[in-house]
Amino acid sequence: MQRSTLTRFLIEQQRNADALPAELRLLIEIVARACKTISHSVAKGALGEVLGSLDSENVQGEVQKKLDVIANELLLEANEWGGHLAAMASEEMETIHRIPNRYPKGEYLLLFDPIDGSSNIDVGLSVGTIFSVLKAPEAVSGRDVTEEDFLQSGRAQVAAGYAIYGPQTLLVLTVGTGVYEFTLDREVGSWIMTDSAMTMPQGKCEFAINMSNRRQWSPAITRYIDERIEGTAGPCGKDYNMRWTASMVADVHRILKRGGIFMYPADSRVANKAKLRLMYEANPMSFLIEQAGGAATDGLTPLMDLAPNGLHQRVGVVLGDKAEVETVTAYARSMATATA
Ligand code: AHM
Ligand code: MG
């Protein structure tokens, strides 16, 4: 069987579906190429002296791993010169990175988490790169791009995706016309399409949550998980399985392929305390999950409907199987009404 390459897929999207301006195609190709290089560094591990932590912390106050910084630099360098971007933002940088004056500027904004699931790097488990693409507001022509220009809702994304560095290196992508998976063929150096128009299976009994955070959960999340743990004896009448890889990319990929629900709820005891970041983790994953027929909320509101208030804003995340996500929302609503 003749499989499509990423390049061919993107050209066909540009030609047939009219979904893809040439500049956006170039942007995606460059991000995909940078992910190949990151994959190479990840795979070298101790041999490439890329494991372990640095003395530095990122803007979130998290200790930076060597690979966090290497991957961030790779993405910046790869994307600076092509003329397709107005600016970039990353989990690893406090503020935005404007395109230097020596290069032409384009109309897109790129946001990324260079290495997601960093705690897995040193123990040989899957990590990934997540990215989101927005259009710069028209008003930026003739002035410097600002952080506020990035604060657009998830619905404004024109592309999103992730690379996963696991048993295989995969790229999962949407430009708003479905979800497509590509596998890196290392001998040839090409991304080859291995799954197309992906739809996530519904009705699967599997949840992913860090159970050690139970004390932080809202009553709605606690009720939802406790009922599932009760299995056939409880109100669900079914036994559920649990998985947690501590790498959102790996957990979301599993859910895309075999269904279930992923949750990293906000800490209900403290206002605005959550783990995952809206702009470069939750929004791109929500775009992919919705495109594959699932749902993505903060426990109540669709994540992509939220108006962002900061580049590094954190948010609760409940995504995956539509009916399961709706159950969480229904519990949250009924509990809010009960306490009103
Ligand atoms: P990171 O971007 O700093 O790696 O953090 C995000 C990761 C997600 O990939 C994952 O779902 C979560 O943090 C795991 O958190 P925990 O270690 O609390 O289980
Ligand atoms: Mg990260």
Side-chain angles (χ1 to χ4, degrees):
M1 185 180 101
Q2 177 83 28
R3 293 180 188 269
S4 179
T5 60
L6 175 66
T7 302
R8 181 170 176 171
F9 164 76
L10 293 174
I11 288 174
E12 283 173 356
Q13 286 284 305
Q14 187 181 344
R15 207 184 277 156
N16 304 337
D18 217 10
L20 208 59
E23 269 201 6
L24 182 54
R25 175 162 71 82
L26 176 69
L27 188 165
I28 293 168
E29 292 234 45
I30 290 176
V31 169
R33 200 176 311 144
C35 290
K36 277 190 219 172
T37 316
I38 298 172
S39 152
H40 190 71
S41 286
V42 170
K44 280 239 159 188
L47 302 178
E49 297 184 1
V50 295
L51 301 187
S53 301
L54 297 167
D55 292 333
S56 53
E57 284 186 353
N58 65 13
V59 60
Q60 343 267 340
E62 299 158 342
V63 172
Q64 287 181 304
K65 299 274 185 188
K66 278 189 200 168
L67 262 174
D68 285 328
V69 175
I70 293 169
N72 193 58
E73 285 301 316
L74 280 168
L75 282 158
L76 290 180
E77 278 169 23
N79 282 286
E80 253 180 4
W81 53 268
H84 51 287
L85 285 180
M88 291 179 257
S90 156
E91 179 181 329
E92 303 304 332
M93 301 186 300
E94 182 159 5
T95 188
I96 62 170
H97 177 92
R98 294 195 186 93
I99 300 302
N101 283 335
R102 61 184 180 278
Y103 300 123
K105 287 173 198 55
E107 56 178 333
Y108 292 103
L109 303 173
L110 174 65
L111 299 99
F112 47 82
D113 178 359
I115 296 284
D116 182 64
S118 302
S119 70
N120 281 338
I121 292 173
D122 296 343
V123 291
L125 298 176
S126 294
V127 293
T129 298
I130 312 174
F131 66 93
S132 162
V133 185
L134 296 164
K135 259 188 132 168
E138 274 174 26
V140 303
S141 59
R143 66 154 170 87
D144 276 346
V145 179
T146 64
E147 220 171 281
E148 283 65 43
D149 294 322
F150 280 77
L151 303 185
Q152 305 177 33
S153 83
R155 300 270 169 229
Q157 292 174 104
V158 292
Y162 58 80
I164 175 164
Y165 315 115
Q168 302 89 32
T169 294
L170 304 173
L171 181 75
V172 176
L173 176 70
T174 186
V175 291
T177 57
V179 181
Y180 295 83
E181 177 201 84
F182 301 85
T183 301
L184 181 61
D185 182 334
R186 286 186 189 277
E187 278 103 79
V188 185
S190 287
W191 293 105
I192 310 291
M193 189 184 285
T194 42
D195 204 353
S196 60
M198 293 167 76
T199 49
M200 55 164 296
Q202 303 292 319
K204 301 291 174 191
C205 302
E206 195 162 75
F207 63 84
I209 194 163
N210 183 341
M211 290 293 295
S212 69
N213 293 330
R214 192 174 187 281
R215 69 193 172 284
Q216 306 178 355
W217 300 345
S218 66
I221 300 286
T222 309
R223 176 178 169 195
Y224 174 83
I225 293 294
D226 286 355
E227 285 180 358
R228 265 123 205 98
I229 291 173
E230 281 182 72
T232 46
C236 302
K238 308 184 264 194
D239 287 338
Y240 275 69
N241 189 28
M242 194 202 88
R243 286 286 182 274
W244 185 251
T245 58
S247 166
M248 190 193 196
V249 175
D251 280 317
V252 168
H253 190 67
R254 186 188 59 253
I255 279 163
L256 264 182
K257 298 293 272 196
R258 74 173 195 210
I261 184 169
F262 167 91
M263 313 168 89
Y264 210 122
D267 187 336
S268 66
R269 305 163 307 174
V270 188
N272 302 321
K273 189 162 177 256
K275 168 97 194 237
L276 299 176
R277 276 61 49 127
L278 176 64
M279 301 295 295
Y280 41 79
E281 291 178 327
N283 271 343
M285 291 310 200
S286 301
F287 193 10
L288 291 160
I289 287 285
E290 283 197 11
Q291 283 284 314
T297 72
D298 63 358
L300 199 59
T301 308
L303 284 160
M304 289 202 289
D305 290 342
L306 298 178
N309 57 34
L311 206 51
H312 301 289
Q313 180 181 348
R314 293 175 187 259
V315 72
V317 173
V318 174
L319 62 77
D321 188 291
K322 223 172 186 166
E324 298 288 321
V325 173
E326 271 161 20
T327 302
V328 177
T329 313
Y331 287 0
R333 278 214 188 96
S334 71
M335 285 174 177
T337 323
T339 52

